[in-house]
C-alpha cells in the first residue's frame, strides 16, 4: 500500500482577468514544500480549464497538451530548492475563467525515468477576489409557519385537507393486489435506501398507521388518490406506478410531520388527488468526465424516485472515457475506462498521475436497471457519436481512415474525435455495440448524441471526401477539404448546418437510426441530430439544450422534444456569476429560485406543445471533482425541475417549495 506523501510540493494558481492594459492570463506557482530539492521535472496539471493551441508561457514552455491536460517545462537547469518556487504564466486560454472550479484541480511532477510525484493543489484564486470557495448544499431551514401545512415535492394538483394531527410512528402497508404489493416492496426498499433508521415503514405492532390499497381502473398509470381518516390512509391507483407515487407522497408528508412537528402536520381527514402534467421527467448524468460507482448510481436513482422523476439518461461515454462493458470489444473498458500518466488517455479534469476511472459491468447494469424499474424509472443509455469519440478511437484505432491526414479539433480540445461515416468498419462496430446495449436496457430507447461535431470533421479523410462528393457533389467535397487544419472552434461549438460535416453526419445518423428502428428501438439525440432532417421523426426524440426558442422551432418542424435548456436545466451551471460559486457559466447562471420559476414552454404554440415529451435536468460532470460541489450544484435545483415536470404551473409556489426543500435527500451530504 503506497505511503501518503505528507510533504508534497504545492501548486497555487491565480486567474488574471483581461483589462485594457493586458490580456487574460493564468499564473501558476509551484513551491517546493517537500523534504529535498528536485530538478529535471515537468509539471503536469489538469482541470476544466483548457490551454489554447496558440498559447504561450512566460517563465517556462508548454509541452504536451490534450483538452484539459497540460504539461509545463521549466527553464533549462532549474533546481527547485527547499522552500523555493517557480512561477509560469500562461497567455492564451480557450475561454476565460468565471469560477474557482475552472482552474487546475490536480497536478503532479513527471521525471525523466517516468516516475511521478503528487503536487497538492489549492483552489484557483481570482486576482483581487479572495472570497472562500462555496461547497455543499445551501441550507433551506423549515420556517415556523410554512405556506403549506404538509411537506410535499413536487406539489400535488389537488389538495383538500380538513384536519391535521401529529405524525404516526410509521406506516403499515397492507397490500393484497399484486400491483400494490409490488409498490409496497419498492417503497420499502426506497425508504430504507434513503432513510434507513427512520422507520417510515413499520408493522402494526410497532404503532404503524394502516395504509390500504384499492385498484381503480379509471385512473391514469401514474395517477393516485390518497384518502385520510383518523385511523388509516387509503390509496387508489390503477397499477404499481400510481400506488408507488402515492406512497412517496405519503412518505414525504410523514417525514415533514415527524421531523418538524411545529411546522407540518399529518392529515387525519381529507383527500389528495394527483397525476403528473408531463410524461417525461428526467435527469441526465455524465459519467464519462467523472466516474460514479454503482452504489452512487443506485442512491441517485432512489433520489430521483423520491422526486417522482421517471427517466434516467445515462451518458456512458465521451471523449474522456468509455464506461460500459462490451463483450465484443474488451479494449473499450481495458483502455477507454482509465486515465493516468502513461496511459492512452492522460489525466483530465483534475485526476492525478495514478490510474483512475472505472466502468459498469453488465451484471452491475442489470441490477441497476432492475432497481430503476422498481422505482418507476426507465433508463436511456447514451453512446455519444459520431463526435465525442476520442476514448472509443483510442481503444479501437482501426476505425480511422488510414489515409486521413491533418487535424480538426472539437470544442473540448480533442483532435480527430469523430467516427468516420464513410467507413463500413464504423457501422460494424457501432451496430455490435448497440446490439449489446439494447439487450441490457429493456426500455428500448437509445440516445446516440449527435452533438458538437466540428466544422472541419473528416476534411482530411479521402474516404469521407469521396462519400461527400457522392451525396453533395464535387464542389462540396472540395470546399470541405479546404477546412483541413483550420482551427474553427476554439471558443465555442461550431454551427455546422449546411456544411460538409453536417452532410456526412446525416449519412451516419440515418443509417444508425435505421438499425435501431429495425430492433424496435426509439432513437434519442441532442438537437443537432436534426441537421439534414434525415431522422425518422416518428421513431425519435430530441433533447433541446440551447434555449426554449430553439426547442420550439424543432417542435414546429415535427420533432418530439424533451426540453433541457442549458441556462436553466444544466445543473453544472453555477448559481450566480460570483467567483466563489462552483460550476460553469457558458450558458449563464441560475439560482434554485430561477430554475424553479423557469417556464420550459414559454411562447410555444398549441401545436408545438403537442410535440412536448417533457423536461429533463442535465448534470455534466466537469466541475464535479469535489462531491460537495456536486451537492451544491444539483440540490435543490433537481427538485425544482421535478416540480416543473409534475405540477400544474398555477399550483407552483417558490415560498412553499423553499420551506420544505431542506427535507429532500441529497447524494453525499458533504460539507
Amino acid at each position: 500500500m503506497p505511503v501518503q506523501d505528507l510533504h508534497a510540493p504545492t501548486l497555487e494558481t491565480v486567474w488574471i482577468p483581461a483589462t485594457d492594459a493586458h490580456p487574460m492570463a493564468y499564473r501558476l506557482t509551484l513551491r517546493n514544500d517537500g523534504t529535498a530539492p528536485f530538478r529535471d521535472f515537468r509539471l503536469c496539471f489538469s482541470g476544466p480549464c483548457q490551454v489554447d493551441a496558440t498559447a504561450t508561457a512566460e517563465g517556462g514552455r508548454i509541452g504536451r497538451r490534450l483538452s484539459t491536460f497540460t504539461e509545463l517545462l521549466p527553464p533549462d537547469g532549474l533546481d527547485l530548492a527547499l522552500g523555493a518556487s517557480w512561477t509560469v504564466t500562461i497567455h492564451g486560454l480557450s475561454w476565460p475563467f468565471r469560477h474557482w472550479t475552472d482552474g487546475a484541480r490536480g497536478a503532479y511532477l513527471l521525471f525523466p525515468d517516468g516516475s511521478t510525484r503528487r503536487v497538492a493543489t489549492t483552489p484557483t484564486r481570482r486576482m483581487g477576489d479572495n472570497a472562500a470557495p462555496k461547497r455543499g448544499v445551501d441550507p433551506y431551514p423549515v420556517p415556523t409557519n410554512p405556506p403549506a401545512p404538509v411537506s410535499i415535492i413536487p406539489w400535488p394538483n389537488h389538495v383538500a385537507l380538513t384536519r391535521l394531527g401529529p405524525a404516526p410512528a410509521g406506516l403499515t402497508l397492507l397490500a393484497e393486489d399484486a400491483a400494490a404489493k409490488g409498490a409496497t416492496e419498492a417503497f420499502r426498499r426506497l425508504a430504507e435506501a434513503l432513510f434507513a433508521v427512520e422507520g417510515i415503514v413499520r408493522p402494526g405492532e410497532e404503532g404503524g398507521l394502516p395504509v390500504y390499497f384499492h385498484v381503480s381502473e379509471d385512473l391514469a398509470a401514474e395517477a393516485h388518490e390518497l384518502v385520510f381518516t383518523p385511523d388509516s390512509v387509503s390509496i387508489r391507483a390503477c397499477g404499481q406506478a400510481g400506488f408507488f407515487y402515492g406512497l412517496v407522497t405519503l412518505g414525504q408528508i410523514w417525514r415533514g410531520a415527524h421531523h418538524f412537528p411545529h411546522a407540518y402536520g399529518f392529515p387525519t381527514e381529507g383527500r389528495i388527488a394527483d397525476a403528473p402534467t408531463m410524461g417525461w421527467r428526467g435527469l441526465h448524468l455524465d459519467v464519462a468526465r467523472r466516474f460514479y460507482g454503482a452504489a452512487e448510481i443506485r442512491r441517485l436513482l432512489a433520489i430521483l424516485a423520491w422526486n417522482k422523476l421517471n427517466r434516467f439518461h445515462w451518458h456512458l461515454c465521451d471523449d474522456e472515457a468509455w464506461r460500459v462493458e462490451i463483450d465484443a470489444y474488451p479494449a473499450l473498458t481495458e483502455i477507454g475506462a482509465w486515465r493516468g500518466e502513461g496511459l492512452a488517455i492522460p489525466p483530465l479534469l483534475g485526476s492525478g498521475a495514478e490510474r483512475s476511472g472505472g466502468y459498469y459491468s453488465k451484471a452491475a447494469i442489470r441490477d441497476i436497471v432492475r432497481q430503476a424499474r422498481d422505482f418507476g424509472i426507465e433508463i436511456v443509455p447514451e453512446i455519444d457519436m459520431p463526435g465525442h469519440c476520442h476514448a472509443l478511437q483510442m481503444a479501437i484505432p482501426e476505425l480511422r481512415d488510414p489515409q486521413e491526414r491533418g487535424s480538426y479539433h472539437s470544442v473540448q480540445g480533442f483532435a480527430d474525435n469523430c467516427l468516420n461515416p464513410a467507413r463500413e468498419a464504423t457501422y460494424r462496430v457501432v451496430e455490435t455495440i448497440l446490439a449489446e446495449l439494447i439487450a441490457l436496457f429493456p426500455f428500448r430507447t437509445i440516445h446516440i448524441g449527435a452533438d458538437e461535431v466540428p466544422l472541419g470533421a473528416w476534411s482530411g479523410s479521402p474516404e469521407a471526401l469521396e462519400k461527400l462528393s457522392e451525396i453533395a457533389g464535387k464542389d462540396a467535397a472540395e470546399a470541405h477539404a479546404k477546412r483541413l487544419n483550420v482551427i474553427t472552434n476554439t471558443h465555442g461549438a461550431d454551427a455546422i448546418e449546411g456544411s460538409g460535416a453536417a452532410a456526412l453526419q446525416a449519412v451516419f445518423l440515418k443509417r444508425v437510426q435505421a438499425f435501431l428502428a429495425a430492433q424496435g428501438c426509439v432513437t434519442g439525440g441532442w438537437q443537432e441530430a436534426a441537421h439534414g432532417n434525415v431522422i425518422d421523426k416518428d421513431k425519435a426524440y430530441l433533447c433541446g439544450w440551447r434555449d426554449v426558442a430553439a426547442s420550439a422551432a424543432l417542435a414546429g418542424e415535427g420533432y418530439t422534444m424533451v426540453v433541457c435548456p442549458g441556462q436553466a436545466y444544466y445543473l453544472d451551471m453555477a448559481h450566480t456569476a460570483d467567483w466563489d460559486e462552483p460550476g460553469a457559466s457558458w450558458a449563464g447562471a441560475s439560482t434554485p429560485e430561477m430554475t424553479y420559476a423557469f417556464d420550459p414552454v414559454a411562447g410555444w404554440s398549441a401545436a408545438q406543445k403537442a410535440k412536448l415529451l417533457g423536461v429533463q435536468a442535465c448534470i455534466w460532470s466537469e466541475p464535479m471533482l469535489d462531491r460537495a460541489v456536486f451537492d451544491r450544484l444539483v440540490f435543490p435545483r433537481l427538485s425544482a425541475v421535478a416540480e416543473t415536470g409534475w405540477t400544474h404551473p398555477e399550483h407552483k409556489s417558490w415560498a412553499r417549495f423553499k420551506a420544505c426543500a431542506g427535507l429532500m435527500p441529497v447524494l453525499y451530504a458533504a460539507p
Side-chain angles (χ1 to χ4, degrees):
M1 184 175 183
V3 178
Q4 185 178 3
D5 186 354
L6 300 178
H7 302 284
T10 301
L11 180 65
E12 296 179 349
T13 59
V14 178
W15 163 244
I16 305 171
T19 67
D20 292 339
H22 59 75
M24 63 181 181
Y26 191 38
R27 188 175 69 209
L28 302 93
T29 299
L30 176 69
R31 189 174 65 248
N32 185 359
D33 293 327
T35 57
F38 51 83
R39 59 176 302 167
D40 295 331
F41 65 90
R42 299 182 178 207
L43 173 63
C44 302
F45 72 91
S46 68
C49 55
Q50 289 176 213
V51 175
D52 200 77
T54 59
T56 59
E58 177 185 346
R61 291 175 290 130
I62 298 173
R64 292 177 295 159
R65 189 183 58 83
L66 176 69
S67 184
T68 62
F69 170 84
T70 303
E71 180 184 71
L72 295 176
L73 287 65
D76 292 341
L78 176 69
D79 284 305
L80 209 60
L82 288 175
S85 62
W86 165 51
T87 296
V88 58
T89 302
I90 297 174
H91 300 283
L93 295 145
S94 295
W95 36 265
F97 293 3
R98 296 183 176 93
H99 303 280
W100 67 269
T101 48
D102 285 338
R105 306 296 306 281
Y108 60 93
L109 302 180
L110 175 62
F111 296 97
D113 63 358
S115 63
T116 62
R117 186 175 183 187
R118 183 181 67 90
V119 171
T121 59
T122 57
T124 295
R125 294 183 296 111
R126 186 174 73 175
M127 181 68 73
D129 191 334
N130 295 312
K134 291 179 179 176
R135 296 180 172 90
V137 180
D138 258 341
Y140 283 83
V142 175
T144 302
N145 296 300
V150 291
S151 59
I152 309 171
I153 294 177
W155 188 251
N157 287 303
H158 179 80
V159 179
L161 304 175
T162 54
R163 186 173 298 173
L164 300 173
L171 307 171
T172 300
L173 309 182
L174 303 173
E176 296 181 359
D177 174 79
K181 287 181 178 179
T184 60
E185 286 306 307
F187 181 75
R188 188 190 312 276
R189 288 192 292 271
L190 177 64
E192 289 176 354
L194 294 175
F195 316 109
V197 301
E198 294 187 10
I200 298 176
V201 179
R202 63 178 65 202
E205 58 266 27
E206 293 185 12
L209 180 71
V211 179
Y212 299 99
F213 300 83
H214 306 283
V215 176
S216 296
E217 301 289 350
D218 58 320
L219 294 177
E222 295 178 311
H224 51 276
E225 181 183 60
L226 283 74
V227 177
F228 297 89
T229 72
D231 302 318
S232 68
V233 180
S234 294
I235 302 178
R236 293 177 60 243
C238 77
Q240 181 167 331
F243 285 129
F244 179 77
Y245 285 136
L247 285 168
V248 170
T249 297
L250 192 58
Q252 290 188 7
I253 292 172
W254 181 88
R255 292 195 74 243
H258 175 73
H259 290 287
F260 297 95
H262 67 279
Y264 293 118
F266 191 90
T268 57
E269 186 176 275
R271 173 176 171 269
I272 293 175
D274 203 10
T277 61
M278 297 183 191
W280 186 292
R281 306 176 305 281
L283 174 70
H284 159 284
L285 178 66
D286 158 29
V287 300
R289 277 59 178 257
R290 309 277 178 208
F291 181 66
Y292 303 81
E296 293 169 285
I297 299 297
R298 285 193 292 267
R299 178 169 172 84
L300 181 61
L301 289 171
I303 291 171
L304 299 193
W306 199 254
N307 283 273
K308 298 179 185 171
L309 292 165
N310 66 352
R311 298 290 184 267
F312 180 53
H313 177 163
W314 205 355
H315 190 89
L316 288 166
C317 65
D318 215 295
D319 292 306
E320 292 84 353
W322 182 278
R323 303 296 192 198
V324 54
E325 180 181 30
I326 300 295
D327 294 336
Y329 302 107
L332 285 171
T333 48
E334 291 170 356
I335 294 173
W338 309 97
R339 302 197 289 254
E341 177 58 44
L343 301 182
I345 304 174
L348 298 168
L349 296 164
S351 57
E354 69 282 357
R355 180 176 182 263
S356 65
Y359 65 92
Y360 306 101
S361 69
K362 287 188 171 182
I365 288 174
R366 292 187 187 101
D367 285 343
I368 288 168
V369 168
R370 278 193 293 269
Q371 175 192 320
R373 300 200 104 189
D374 283 348
F375 291 168
I377 299 166
E378 297 288 2
I379 298 181
V380 177
E382 180 183 353
I383 302 298
D384 201 350
M385 49 188 175
H388 290 280
C389 286
H390 177 79
L392 189 158
Q393 291 180 325
M394 289 294 100
I396 312 176
E398 57 267 29
L399 287 173
R400 297 185 185 276
D401 179 350
Q403 304 303 315
E404 187 166 4
R405 60 189 179 87
S407 280
Y408 58 88
H409 288 81
S410 73
V411 64
Q412 287 84 12
F414 289 94
D416 313 318
N417 71 331
C418 300
L419 297 180
N420 197 317
R423 307 209 79 210
E424 196 59 32
T426 295
Y427 301 102
R428 286 197 300 271
V429 171
V430 166
E431 290 175 7
T432 300
I433 290 170
L434 291 177
E436 292 197 29
L437 210 65
I438 292 167
L440 287 172
F441 294 97
F443 188 46
R444 302 189 82 78
T445 300
I446 309 294
H447 200 287
I448 60 172
D451 62 316
E452 296 185 332
V453 167
L455 190 61
W458 312 296
S459 55
S461 164
E463 293 180 3
L465 293 173
E466 181 180 355
K467 173 63 72 173
L468 184 58
S469 182
E470 291 175 12
I471 62 175
K474 182 178 178 182
D475 290 346
E478 290 178 351
H480 192 58
K482 292 178 181 178
R483 292 198 167 104
L484 184 64
N485 295 331
V486 176
I487 298 175
T488 57
N489 53 10
T490 301
H491 304 295
D494 286 334
I496 69 169
E497 183 64 40
S499 70
L504 287 166
Q505 176 177 265
V507 170
F508 176 87
L509 295 178
K510 185 175 183 179
R511 179 157 172 181
V512 172
Q513 190 195 26
F515 171 81
L516 288 172
Q519 314 305 311
C521 293
V522 172
T523 299
W526 300 104
Q527 66 185 66
E528 291 95 325
H531 290 325
N533 196 31
V534 297
I535 64 172
D536 184 344
K537 298 183 180 69
D538 293 332
K539 300 174 183 176
Y541 77 95
L542 300 182
C543 294
W545 63 270
R546 289 191 182 273
D547 54 44
V548 168
S551 292
L554 288 167
E557 295 174 19
Y559 290 97
T560 300
M561 299 302 299
V562 170
V563 181
C564 47
Q567 65 269 30
Y569 288 175
Y570 270 30
L571 303 187
D572 54 312
M573 295 299 111
H575 288 190
T576 72
D578 295 341
W579 176 262
D580 58 352
E581 286 286 358
S585 283
W586 59 264
S590 184
T591 64
E593 184 174 3
M594 292 167 64
T595 298
Y596 183 84
F598 187 83
D599 183 355
V601 291
W604 286 41
S605 68
Q608 289 168 331
K609 289 179 180 178
K611 303 301 293 183
L612 176 68
L613 198 57
V615 294
Q616 181 169 286
C618 294
I619 301 173
W620 298 99
S621 294
E622 286 92 337
M624 308 291 192
L625 179 66
D626 184 335
R627 294 317 204 213
V629 166
F630 184 103
D631 278 352
R632 182 172 188 83
L633 291 172
V634 173
F635 306 108
R637 293 192 297 184
L638 177 66
S639 296
V641 178
E643 185 151 310
T644 295
W646 184 282
T647 306
H648 288 301
E650 62 270 23
H651 295 151
K652 292 178 65 177
S653 162
W654 168 251
R656 186 261 312 144
F657 175 91
K658 182 180 179 181
C660 55
L663 277 159
M664 299 300 283
V666 302
L667 188 56
Y668 300 106

